[in-house]
Amino acid sequence: QVQLVESGGGLVQAGGSLRLSCAASGSFRSIDTMRWYRQAPGDPGKQRELVAGIRSGGSTDYADSVKGRFTISRDNAKNTVTLQMNSLKPEDTAVYYCNAIIVVIASNRRNYWGQGTQVTVSS
C-alpha cells in the first residue's frame, strides 16, 4: 500500500523558515508530479490551495503568493519531496498536504495525499 508521510511542520515567527518533507513508501513503479497544497484554518469548506508542484523531470510551478519565498525540490532516488519555506508570513499559516501522482502498476496512475502537517506563523 502506498503512503505519503509528511514531516517538518511547526510554529515559527514571521520572517522565519521551515522545511517540510514528504516521503512516499510502498510498492509502486514511479512518481509523476509531486505537489504541496495548504488549507487555511477557519473555513473547512474552502478548497485546498496549490502551493507548489514539481514534475518528474524537475520543472516547477508556484502559487503567486509564495514565489520567491518557497522552493520545492525532490529526490527521485529517495522518493521524497521537500518544501523550503523562507520569509514566512502569518497568512502562510495552514495545514500543508503532500500530494503525488504515483504510477502503481503499468500505466495505472493514482492520486495520493499525505495526512497533513500544521504550519503556524506568529506575527
Side-chain angles (χ1 to χ4, degrees):
Q1 185 174 355
V2 177
Q3 284 189 316
L4 298 178
V5 178
E6 299 127 338
S7 60
L11 173 64
V12 65
Q13 287 189 333
S17 298
L18 281 175
R19 186 179 180 90
L20 305 183
S21 294
C22 173
S25 63
S27 179
F28 53 87
R29 293 195 62 182
S30 62
I31 303 176
D32 286 352
T33 303
M34 304 185 83
R35 299 181 175 97
W36 288 96
Y37 287 79
R38 67 186 179 187
Q39 187 157 25
D43 189 355
K46 189 176 180 180
Q47 281 191 333
R48 292 177 183 176
E49 175 191 16
L50 176 60
V51 176
I54 184 167
R55 298 173 186 81
S56 57
S59 60
T60 58
D61 295 295
Y62 295 94
D64 288 343
S65 58
V66 306
K67 280 181 183 176
R69 299 189 297 122
F70 291 9
T71 302
I72 189 171
S73 60
R74 64 189 285 170
D75 185 329
N76 291 331
K78 296 181 179 178
N79 297 318
T80 59
V81 62
T82 299
L83 186 67
Q84 177 66 43
M85 305 185 294
N86 299 327
S87 303
L88 282 161
K89 304 175 181 180
E91 52 262 43
D92 294 318
T93 295
V95 177
Y96 283 71
Y97 296 91
C98 175
N99 170 268
I101 307 299
I102 296 179
V103 181
V104 179
I105 185 170
S107 60
N108 185 357
R109 288 170 169 76
R110 295 183 184 177
N111 191 26
Y112 290 90
W113 291 92
Q115 79 283 1
T117 185
Q118 177 70 47
V119 170
T120 303
V121 184
S122 63
S123 58

